Amino acid sequence: MTEAILPLALENVSLEIGGVRLIKDIQCRFEAGPRSVVIGPNGAGKSLFLRLCHGLIAPTSGAGRWQGPAGAAQPGAAQAMVFQRPVMLRRSVAANVDYALKLKGHARAERAEIIDEALARCGLRRLRDQPARVLSFGEQQKLALARAWALRPQVLFLDEPTASLDPAATHAVEEIVQAIHDAGTRIIMTTHDLGQARRLSDEVLFLHRGRLLEHAEAGAFFENPKNDLAQAFVRGELLWWRYGRDNRRAEADPTAEDLD
Amino acid sequence: MNDFGDAFWAAFQLVVSLDADLTEIVGLSLQVSLTAVFIAALIGLPLGAAVALFRFPGRMAVVVILNAFMGLPPVVVGLVVYLLLSRAGPFGVLGLLFTPTAMIIAQVILITPIIAALTRQVIEDLWSEYEEQLRSLGAGPARALTALLWDGRFSLVTAVLAGFGRASAEVGAVMIVGGNIDHVSRVMTTAIALEVSKGDLALALGLGLILLVLSTGINGAAFLIKEMALKRHA
Ligand SMILES: Nc1ncnc2c1ncn2[C@@H]1O[C@H](COP(=O)(O)OP(=O)(O)OP(=O)(O)O)[C@@H](O)[C@H]1O
Ligand SMILES: [Mg+2]
């Protein structure tokens, strides 16, 4: 836990499924410290990108390398991920956190205290003995965060942690994410909420159809994105939608030639 | 109709008075089927889970066979076990034919595929739902196995009950390999078949009543467990 796994370097990472290139030659580096927010239209490859970084799927070509002193051995142990759809085990709220801690090798004696703290931080203490799957969507999302937080990961990936949450729940989740960041965890997240991207980002990655089109410091990015598509996206123009996923390889698409 | 009424009354009296013959038959039935379901669960649960979680050559064939064998005709199973255990058969020296052990073997063969196939389905569905999260937490299929069995507990109990229901209700296999010998291998279903053909409707009806209560009880329990699980864990 003391030895760092960061930085993470992606070297020409591509992913191909069923003959379609879904992630194309991504080259980037994540240093310790700032919060990264990955944005881009539906189907841009944000979720796949996070999975590749987290090591859940292997790239077809290229490689992701954890270059920190502890990165070579078991980098997975120092990471956690909160998925777009929360996955709840058929157990109580507390038992969901407990199982995650158990998998990471925490002794039973120390688990209870960590669980209490994580549930308290995420406002779930009163629900601790409820079956996790009867919780509301927002509560489940908070539990997924509590579970991730309890693991004290060095790097936490969050895939649209506030999608379909109401404003109050969104605010609560953002505060939790901020607190996790303050406690020293490297945050790498995706969102469709540009306001949220502004609030939670130190740097921004703009993905479009599997390509990383821009990777910039947040202030500069929102002020004046260099990439045309990023500009349109940030201004809320519908460009990315009109040339959307349905005609991925259509000739009518002026951006198609530099892709594929 | 009067016959039926008399027989029904006699049957009722047999049940209420815990008639010695009747309790012996019910006792043996339960002993045979519970032992069979216990052994079948011991084999079927891990087998089904393993087929669900691990990729190995011939896996698809195993899946197809398990599903096909869910509907094995009891008389055919009885016949095959009979041939294996008969004097001239490969296991003839064990002298198991026409014993409760032979009946247990036949029922194990009959219901292991049921439990294994249902388990595979349950565990496979759970794994596809949990896989990414559990891998993210550092658990591959092998480490996740016990957690999956636990999280699937309600459906798995239902699978085991389905096996028990099938074992306690079938007549073909136990008739052939057990022989329906009084005080040795006579169970509810074979006794009912015999007593009806002999014309002793009272005992047949009494046993029929008990069997009915048992099987509706099992199905009711299976249903309630499912309902409870749905309520608790959605
Ligand atoms: N297992 C898969 N097999 C085939 N195609 C896939 C697979 N997973 C994702 N894709 C495709 O890859 C593209 C990117 O998917 P991804 O889920 O990463 O998008 P996203 O940027 O997260 O979108 P959203 O904003 O809707 O969550 C999509 O077009 C999707 O259809
Ligand atoms: Mg996504």
mmCIF file of all heavy atoms in Angstrom, chain B residues 95-133:
data_model
loop_
_atom_site.group_PDB
_atom_site.id
_atom_site.type_symbol
_atom_site.label_atom_id
_atom_site.label_comp_id
_atom_site.label_asym_id
_atom_site.label_seq_id
_atom_site.Cartn_x
_atom_site.Cartn_y
_atom_site.Cartn_z
ATOM 1 N N GLY B 95 -23.574 -57.831 -4.873
ATOM 2 C CA GLY B 95 -24.848 -58.307 -4.344
ATOM 3 C C GLY B 95 -25.792 -57.196 -3.944
ATOM 4 O O GLY B 95 -26.477 -57.269 -2.923
ATOM 5 N N LEU B 96 -25.816 -56.133 -4.702
ATOM 6 C CA LEU B 96 -26.625 -54.968 -4.321
ATOM 7 C C LEU B 96 -28.032 -54.983 -4.892
ATOM 8 O O LEU B 96 -28.901 -54.252 -4.423
ATOM 9 C CB LEU B 96 -25.931 -53.685 -4.782
ATOM 10 C CG LEU B 96 -24.651 -53.316 -4.032
ATOM 11 C CD1 LEU B 96 -24.010 -52.085 -4.643
ATOM 12 C CD2 LEU B 96 -24.937 -53.098 -2.559
ATOM 13 N N LEU B 97 -28.250 -55.810 -5.901
ATOM 14 C CA LEU B 97 -29.563 -55.784 -6.541
ATOM 15 C C LEU B 97 -30.661 -56.114 -5.527
ATOM 16 O O LEU B 97 -30.474 -56.951 -4.643
ATOM 17 C CB LEU B 97 -29.585 -56.790 -7.697
ATOM 18 C CG LEU B 97 -30.691 -56.558 -8.721
ATOM 19 C CD1 LEU B 97 -30.564 -55.187 -9.354
ATOM 20 C CD2 LEU B 97 -30.645 -57.638 -9.803
ATOM 21 N N PHE B 98 -31.783 -55.435 -5.651
ATOM 22 C CA PHE B 98 -32.926 -55.595 -4.743
ATOM 23 C C PHE B 98 -32.617 -55.166 -3.310
ATOM 24 O O PHE B 98 -33.119 -55.743 -2.355
ATOM 25 C CB PHE B 98 -33.458 -57.039 -4.782
ATOM 26 C CG PHE B 98 -33.810 -57.496 -6.156
ATOM 27 C CD1 PHE B 98 -33.404 -58.742 -6.631
ATOM 28 C CD2 PHE B 98 -34.527 -56.662 -7.007
ATOM 29 C CE1 PHE B 98 -33.710 -59.150 -7.920
ATOM 30 C CE2 PHE B 98 -34.849 -57.074 -8.298
ATOM 31 C CZ PHE B 98 -34.439 -58.314 -8.753
ATOM 32 N N THR B 99 -31.740 -54.216 -3.161
ATOM 33 C CA THR B 99 -31.499 -53.617 -1.836
ATOM 34 C C THR B 99 -31.778 -52.111 -1.937
ATOM 35 O O THR B 99 -31.790 -51.547 -3.026
ATOM 36 C CB THR B 99 -30.032 -53.772 -1.383
ATOM 37 O OG1 THR B 99 -29.205 -52.997 -2.282
ATOM 38 C CG2 THR B 99 -29.599 -55.220 -1.388
ATOM 39 N N PRO B 100 -31.963 -51.463 -0.787
ATOM 40 C CA PRO B 100 -32.131 -49.999 -0.809
ATOM 41 C C PRO B 100 -30.942 -49.297 -1.465
ATOM 42 O O PRO B 100 -31.096 -48.272 -2.121
ATOM 43 C CB PRO B 100 -32.237 -49.640 0.668
ATOM 44 C CG PRO B 100 -32.799 -50.855 1.313
ATOM 45 C CD PRO B 100 -32.216 -52.020 0.551
ATOM 46 N N THR B 101 -29.757 -49.857 -1.309
ATOM 47 C CA THR B 101 -28.582 -49.242 -1.924
ATOM 48 C C THR B 101 -28.735 -49.148 -3.433
ATOM 49 O O THR B 101 -28.409 -48.117 -4.043
ATOM 50 C CB THR B 101 -27.312 -50.050 -1.591
ATOM 51 O OG1 THR B 101 -27.259 -50.237 -0.175
ATOM 52 C CG2 THR B 101 -26.070 -49.338 -2.066
ATOM 53 N N ALA B 102 -29.247 -50.211 -4.035
ATOM 54 C CA ALA B 102 -29.463 -50.199 -5.489
ATOM 55 C C ALA B 102 -30.444 -49.094 -5.861
ATOM 56 O O ALA B 102 -30.273 -48.389 -6.869
ATOM 57 C CB ALA B 102 -29.989 -51.552 -5.948
ATOM 58 N N MET B 103 -31.466 -48.925 -5.009
ATOM 59 C CA MET B 103 -32.454 -47.885 -5.293
ATOM 60 C C MET B 103 -31.832 -46.500 -5.181
ATOM 61 O O MET B 103 -32.125 -45.590 -5.975
ATOM 62 C CB MET B 103 -33.639 -48.021 -4.329
ATOM 63 C CG MET B 103 -34.369 -49.350 -4.499
ATOM 64 S SD MET B 103 -35.174 -49.896 -2.995
ATOM 65 C CE MET B 103 -36.599 -48.874 -2.963
ATOM 66 N N ILE B 104 -30.968 -46.355 -4.189
ATOM 67 C CA ILE B 104 -30.296 -45.062 -4.022
ATOM 68 C C ILE B 104 -29.424 -44.767 -5.250
ATOM 69 O O ILE B 104 -29.434 -43.662 -5.793
ATOM 70 C CB ILE B 104 -29.447 -45.054 -2.732
ATOM 71 C CG1 ILE B 104 -30.377 -45.081 -1.517
ATOM 72 C CG2 ILE B 104 -28.532 -43.826 -2.684
ATOM 73 C CD1 ILE B 104 -29.672 -45.321 -0.205
ATOM 74 N N ILE B 105 -28.691 -45.780 -5.704
ATOM 75 C CA ILE B 105 -27.834 -45.587 -6.879
ATOM 76 C C ILE B 105 -28.659 -45.126 -8.076
ATOM 77 O O ILE B 105 -28.321 -44.158 -8.758
ATOM 78 C CB ILE B 105 -27.086 -46.900 -7.224
ATOM 79 C CG1 ILE B 105 -26.068 -47.229 -6.120
ATOM 80 C CG2 ILE B 105 -26.377 -46.770 -8.578
ATOM 81 C CD1 ILE B 105 -25.414 -48.591 -6.276
ATOM 82 N N ALA B 106 -29.780 -45.816 -8.310
ATOM 83 C CA ALA B 106 -30.620 -45.459 -9.461
ATOM 84 C C ALA B 106 -31.130 -44.024 -9.340
ATOM 85 O O ALA B 106 -31.119 -43.256 -10.314
ATOM 86 C CB ALA B 106 -31.793 -46.429 -9.572
ATOM 87 N N GLN B 107 -31.549 -43.658 -8.134
ATOM 88 C CA GLN B 107 -32.081 -42.296 -7.972
ATOM 89 C C GLN B 107 -30.982 -41.238 -8.085
ATOM 90 O O GLN B 107 -31.227 -40.141 -8.597
ATOM 91 C CB GLN B 107 -32.808 -42.171 -6.634
ATOM 92 C CG GLN B 107 -34.090 -42.994 -6.606
ATOM 93 C CD GLN B 107 -35.044 -42.591 -5.511
ATOM 94 O OE1 GLN B 107 -34.650 -41.953 -4.529
ATOM 95 N NE2 GLN B 107 -36.305 -42.958 -5.663
ATOM 96 N N VAL B 108 -29.805 -41.575 -7.613
ATOM 97 C CA VAL B 108 -28.693 -40.621 -7.762
ATOM 98 C C VAL B 108 -28.447 -40.349 -9.247
ATOM 99 O O VAL B 108 -28.287 -39.203 -9.667
ATOM 100 C CB VAL B 108 -27.402 -41.152 -7.084
ATOM 101 C CG1 VAL B 108 -26.193 -40.321 -7.511
ATOM 102 C CG2 VAL B 108 -27.552 -41.119 -5.573
ATOM 103 N N ILE B 109 -28.453 -41.424 -10.039
ATOM 104 C CA ILE B 109 -28.239 -41.257 -11.486
ATOM 105 C C ILE B 109 -29.352 -40.412 -12.096
ATOM 106 O O ILE B 109 -29.133 -39.573 -12.955
ATOM 107 C CB ILE B 109 -28.165 -42.632 -12.184
ATOM 108 C CG1 ILE B 109 -26.918 -43.374 -11.696
ATOM 109 C CG2 ILE B 109 -28.137 -42.474 -13.710
ATOM 110 C CD1 ILE B 109 -26.811 -44.786 -12.210
ATOM 111 N N LEU B 110 -30.543 -40.623 -11.586
ATOM 112 C CA LEU B 110 -31.707 -39.920 -12.120
ATOM 113 C C LEU B 110 -31.668 -38.418 -11.813
ATOM 114 O O LEU B 110 -32.014 -37.586 -12.657
ATOM 115 C CB LEU B 110 -32.957 -40.545 -11.502
ATOM 116 C CG LEU B 110 -34.263 -40.523 -12.253
ATOM 117 C CD1 LEU B 110 -34.131 -41.162 -13.610
ATOM 118 C CD2 LEU B 110 -35.324 -41.250 -11.414
ATOM 119 N N ILE B 111 -31.248 -38.049 -10.613
ATOM 120 C CA ILE B 111 -31.412 -36.642 -10.206
ATOM 121 C C ILE B 111 -30.123 -35.819 -10.197
ATOM 122 O O ILE B 111 -30.195 -34.592 -10.179
ATOM 123 C CB ILE B 111 -32.119 -36.511 -8.839
ATOM 124 C CG1 ILE B 111 -31.302 -37.158 -7.737
ATOM 125 C CG2 ILE B 111 -33.519 -37.064 -8.906
ATOM 126 C CD1 ILE B 111 -31.977 -37.045 -6.368
ATOM 127 N N THR B 112 -28.963 -36.469 -10.254
ATOM 128 C CA THR B 112 -27.735 -35.669 -10.323
ATOM 129 C C THR B 112 -27.744 -34.721 -11.530
ATOM 130 O O THR B 112 -27.408 -33.538 -11.386
ATOM 131 C CB THR B 112 -26.486 -36.567 -10.344
ATOM 132 O OG1 THR B 112 -26.464 -37.326 -9.135
ATOM 133 C CG2 THR B 112 -25.213 -35.744 -10.437
ATOM 134 N N PRO B 113 -28.148 -35.201 -12.720
ATOM 135 C CA PRO B 113 -28.183 -34.263 -13.855
ATOM 136 C C PRO B 113 -29.144 -33.099 -13.633
ATOM 137 O O PRO B 113 -28.878 -31.984 -14.082
ATOM 138 C CB PRO B 113 -28.667 -35.127 -15.026
ATOM 139 C CG PRO B 113 -28.414 -36.531 -14.621
ATOM 140 C CD PRO B 113 -28.516 -36.567 -13.131
ATOM 141 N N ILE B 114 -30.249 -33.360 -12.928
ATOM 142 C CA ILE B 114 -31.209 -32.275 -12.678
ATOM 143 C C ILE B 114 -30.555 -31.202 -11.822
ATOM 144 O O ILE B 114 -30.579 -30.007 -12.154
ATOM 145 C CB ILE B 114 -32.469 -32.819 -11.963
ATOM 146 C CG1 ILE B 114 -33.183 -33.820 -12.871
ATOM 147 C CG2 ILE B 114 -33.395 -31.677 -11.562
ATOM 148 C CD1 ILE B 114 -34.418 -34.434 -12.260
ATOM 149 N N ILE B 115 -29.955 -31.643 -10.722
ATOM 150 C CA ILE B 115 -29.331 -30.673 -9.813
ATOM 151 C C ILE B 115 -28.162 -29.974 -10.499
ATOM 152 O O ILE B 115 -27.995 -28.754 -10.404
ATOM 153 C CB ILE B 115 -28.882 -31.370 -8.510
ATOM 154 C CG1 ILE B 115 -30.126 -31.892 -7.769
ATOM 155 C CG2 ILE B 115 -28.079 -30.426 -7.631
ATOM 156 C CD1 ILE B 115 -29.831 -32.653 -6.505
ATOM 157 N N ALA B 116 -27.343 -30.733 -11.237
ATOM 158 C CA ALA B 116 -26.173 -30.136 -11.891
ATOM 159 C C ALA B 116 -26.585 -29.129 -12.966
ATOM 160 O O ALA B 116 -26.024 -28.033 -13.051
ATOM 161 C CB ALA B 116 -25.294 -31.236 -12.491
ATOM 162 N N ALA B 117 -27.591 -29.499 -13.767
ATOM 163 C CA ALA B 117 -27.990 -28.599 -14.856
ATOM 164 C C ALA B 117 -28.602 -27.316 -14.303
ATOM 165 O O ALA B 117 -28.308 -26.217 -14.790
ATOM 166 C CB ALA B 117 -28.977 -29.304 -15.788
ATOM 167 N N LEU B 118 -29.442 -27.443 -13.277
ATOM 168 C CA LEU B 118 -30.040 -26.242 -12.695
ATOM 169 C C LEU B 118 -28.969 -25.383 -12.022
ATOM 170 O O LEU B 118 -28.982 -24.153 -12.129
ATOM 171 C CB LEU B 118 -31.135 -26.616 -11.690
ATOM 172 C CG LEU B 118 -32.386 -27.290 -12.279
ATOM 173 C CD1 LEU B 118 -33.349 -27.728 -11.194
ATOM 174 C CD2 LEU B 118 -33.095 -26.350 -13.254
ATOM 175 N N THR B 119 -28.023 -26.040 -11.352
ATOM 176 C CA THR B 119 -26.934 -25.307 -10.704
ATOM 177 C C THR B 119 -26.110 -24.543 -11.736
ATOM 178 O O THR B 119 -25.770 -23.373 -11.540
ATOM 179 C CB THR B 119 -26.010 -26.270 -9.938
ATOM 180 O OG1 THR B 119 -26.785 -26.952 -8.955
ATOM 181 C CG2 THR B 119 -24.873 -25.522 -9.266
ATOM 182 N N ARG B 120 -25.823 -25.219 -12.841
ATOM 183 C CA ARG B 120 -25.033 -24.546 -13.881
ATOM 184 C C ARG B 120 -25.714 -23.261 -14.333
ATOM 185 O O ARG B 120 -25.107 -22.202 -14.425
ATOM 186 C CB ARG B 120 -24.828 -25.454 -15.090
ATOM 187 C CG ARG B 120 -24.008 -24.785 -16.186
ATOM 188 C CD ARG B 120 -24.164 -25.462 -17.522
ATOM 189 N NE ARG B 120 -25.500 -25.354 -18.051
ATOM 190 C CZ ARG B 120 -25.956 -24.312 -18.771
ATOM 191 N NH1 ARG B 120 -25.178 -23.300 -19.045
ATOM 192 N NH2 ARG B 120 -27.203 -24.290 -19.198
ATOM 193 N N GLN B 121 -27.019 -23.368 -14.568
ATOM 194 C CA GLN B 121 -27.758 -22.200 -15.034
ATOM 195 C C GLN B 121 -27.700 -21.064 -14.011
ATOM 196 O O GLN B 121 -27.396 -19.914 -14.341
ATOM 197 C CB GLN B 121 -29.222 -22.603 -15.299
ATOM 198 C CG GLN B 121 -29.999 -21.555 -16.055
ATOM 199 C CD GLN B 121 -29.388 -21.312 -17.423
ATOM 200 O OE1 GLN B 121 -29.251 -22.228 -18.212
ATOM 201 N NE2 GLN B 121 -28.976 -20.086 -17.693
ATOM 202 N N VAL B 122 -27.951 -21.417 -12.760
ATOM 203 C CA VAL B 122 -27.965 -20.412 -11.689
ATOM 204 C C VAL B 122 -26.599 -19.733 -11.568
ATOM 205 O O VAL B 122 -26.492 -18.501 -11.535
ATOM 206 C CB VAL B 122 -28.335 -21.076 -10.339
ATOM 207 C CG1 VAL B 122 -28.084 -20.124 -9.175
ATOM 208 C CG2 VAL B 122 -29.785 -21.529 -10.366
ATOM 209 N N ILE B 123 -25.543 -20.553 -11.518
ATOM 210 C CA ILE B 123 -24.207 -20.007 -11.287
ATOM 211 C C ILE B 123 -23.729 -19.216 -12.508
ATOM 212 O O ILE B 123 -23.086 -18.163 -12.378
ATOM 213 C CB ILE B 123 -23.206 -21.146 -10.953
ATOM 214 C CG1 ILE B 123 -23.640 -21.855 -9.670
ATOM 215 C CG2 ILE B 123 -21.791 -20.605 -10.824
ATOM 216 C CD1 ILE B 123 -23.643 -20.987 -8.435
ATOM 217 N N GLU B 124 -24.085 -19.706 -13.707
ATOM 218 C CA GLU B 124 -23.660 -18.993 -14.906
ATOM 219 C C GLU B 124 -24.305 -17.598 -14.967
ATOM 220 O O GLU B 124 -23.651 -16.610 -15.277
ATOM 221 C CB GLU B 124 -24.030 -19.807 -16.138
ATOM 222 C CG GLU B 124 -23.163 -19.523 -17.342
ATOM 223 C CD GLU B 124 -23.337 -20.590 -18.407
ATOM 224 O OE1 GLU B 124 -22.743 -21.674 -18.246
ATOM 225 O OE2 GLU B 124 -24.066 -20.349 -19.387
ATOM 226 N N ASP B 125 -25.588 -17.542 -14.650
ATOM 227 C CA ASP B 125 -26.282 -16.243 -14.644
ATOM 228 C C ASP B 125 -25.651 -15.297 -13.620
ATOM 229 O O ASP B 125 -25.409 -14.124 -13.904
ATOM 230 C CB ASP B 125 -27.770 -16.426 -14.324
ATOM 231 C CG ASP B 125 -28.518 -17.100 -15.469
ATOM 232 O OD1 ASP B 125 -27.913 -17.228 -16.553
ATOM 233 O OD2 ASP B 125 -29.670 -17.496 -15.273
ATOM 234 N N LEU B 126 -25.390 -15.840 -12.431
ATOM 235 C CA LEU B 126 -24.791 -15.006 -11.387
ATOM 236 C C LEU B 126 -23.415 -14.510 -11.814
ATOM 237 O O LEU B 126 -23.079 -13.343 -11.642
ATOM 238 C CB LEU B 126 -24.624 -15.817 -10.104
ATOM 239 C CG LEU B 126 -25.731 -15.762 -9.065
ATOM 240 C CD1 LEU B 126 -25.303 -16.573 -7.850
ATOM 241 C CD2 LEU B 126 -26.032 -14.336 -8.654
ATOM 242 N N TRP B 127 -22.627 -15.411 -12.377
ATOM 243 C CA TRP B 127 -21.255 -15.047 -12.757
ATOM 244 C C TRP B 127 -21.264 -13.975 -13.839
ATOM 245 O O TRP B 127 -20.482 -13.038 -13.808
ATOM 246 C CB TRP B 127 -20.490 -16.293 -13.200
ATOM 247 C CG TRP B 127 -19.068 -16.039 -13.628
ATOM 248 C CD1 TRP B 127 -18.511 -16.329 -14.820
ATOM 249 C CD2 TRP B 127 -18.020 -15.454 -12.832
ATOM 250 N NE1 TRP B 127 -17.189 -15.969 -14.836
ATOM 251 C CE2 TRP B 127 -16.858 -15.430 -13.639
ATOM 252 C CE3 TRP B 127 -17.944 -14.950 -11.530
ATOM 253 C CZ2 TRP B 127 -15.642 -14.924 -13.188
ATOM 254 C CZ3 TRP B 127 -16.729 -14.444 -11.083
ATOM 255 C CH2 TRP B 127 -15.605 -14.436 -11.905
ATOM 256 N N SER B 128 -22.189 -14.104 -14.803
ATOM 257 C CA SER B 128 -22.185 -13.092 -15.859
ATOM 258 C C SER B 128 -22.573 -11.732 -15.265
ATOM 259 O O SER B 128 -22.127 -10.699 -15.742
ATOM 260 C CB SER B 128 -23.108 -13.489 -17.013
ATOM 261 O OG SER B 128 -24.451 -13.386 -16.621
ATOM 262 N N GLU B 129 -23.368 -11.756 -14.220
ATOM 263 C CA GLU B 129 -23.717 -10.494 -13.572
ATOM 264 C C GLU B 129 -22.556 -9.961 -12.716
ATOM 265 O O GLU B 129 -22.274 -8.766 -12.711
ATOM 266 C CB GLU B 129 -24.949 -10.710 -12.687
ATOM 267 C CG GLU B 129 -25.439 -9.453 -11.982
ATOM 268 C CD GLU B 129 -26.520 -9.764 -10.955
ATOM 269 O OE1 GLU B 129 -27.214 -10.786 -11.091
ATOM 270 O OE2 GLU B 129 -26.652 -8.978 -10.013
ATOM 271 N N TYR B 130 -21.857 -10.844 -12.033
ATOM 272 C CA TYR B 130 -20.845 -10.424 -11.056
ATOM 273 C C TYR B 130 -19.433 -10.317 -11.631
ATOM 274 O O TYR B 130 -18.557 -9.736 -11.007
ATOM 275 C CB TYR B 130 -20.761 -11.436 -9.910
ATOM 276 C CG TYR B 130 -21.903 -11.449 -8.936
ATOM 277 C CD1 TYR B 130 -21.904 -12.344 -7.871
ATOM 278 C CD2 TYR B 130 -22.977 -10.574 -9.047
ATOM 279 C CE1 TYR B 130 -22.941 -12.385 -6.961
ATOM 280 C CE2 TYR B 130 -24.016 -10.616 -8.147
ATOM 281 C CZ TYR B 130 -24.002 -11.516 -7.104
ATOM 282 O OH TYR B 130 -25.013 -11.561 -6.200
ATOM 283 N N GLU B 131 -19.218 -10.952 -12.798
ATOM 284 C CA GLU B 131 -17.839 -11.204 -13.238
ATOM 285 C C GLU B 131 -16.922 -9.987 -13.144
ATOM 286 O O GLU B 131 -15.869 -10.037 -12.509
ATOM 287 C CB GLU B 131 -17.805 -11.758 -14.653
ATOM 288 C CG GLU B 131 -16.368 -11.932 -15.150
ATOM 289 C CD GLU B 131 -16.244 -12.714 -16.433
ATOM 290 O OE1 GLU B 131 -17.296 -13.052 -17.035
ATOM 291 O OE2 GLU B 131 -15.101 -12.981 -16.834
ATOM 292 N N GLU B 132 -17.345 -8.887 -13.776
ATOM 293 C CA GLU B 132 -16.444 -7.729 -13.825
ATOM 294 C C GLU B 132 -16.148 -7.215 -12.426
ATOM 295 O O GLU B 132 -15.007 -6.908 -12.085
ATOM 296 C CB GLU B 132 -17.094 -6.614 -14.629
ATOM 297 C CG GLU B 132 -17.091 -6.885 -16.096
ATOM 298 C CD GLU B 132 -17.033 -5.605 -16.884
ATOM 299 O OE1 GLU B 132 -17.921 -4.763 -16.642
ATOM 300 O OE2 GLU B 132 -16.121 -5.441 -17.708
ATOM 301 N N GLN B 133 -17.201 -7.088 -11.620
ATOM 302 C CA GLN B 133 -17.008 -6.581 -10.268
ATOM 303 C C GLN B 133 -16.068 -7.487 -9.482
ATOM 304 O O GLN B 133 -15.150 -7.007 -8.828
ATOM 305 C CB GLN B 133 -18.367 -6.480 -9.564
ATOM 306 C CG GLN B 133 -18.279 -5.944 -8.146
ATOM 307 C CD GLN B 133 -17.861 -4.490 -8.103
ATOM 308 O OE1 GLN B 133 -18.536 -3.623 -8.598
ATOM 309 N NE2 GLN B 133 -16.698 -4.238 -7.500
#
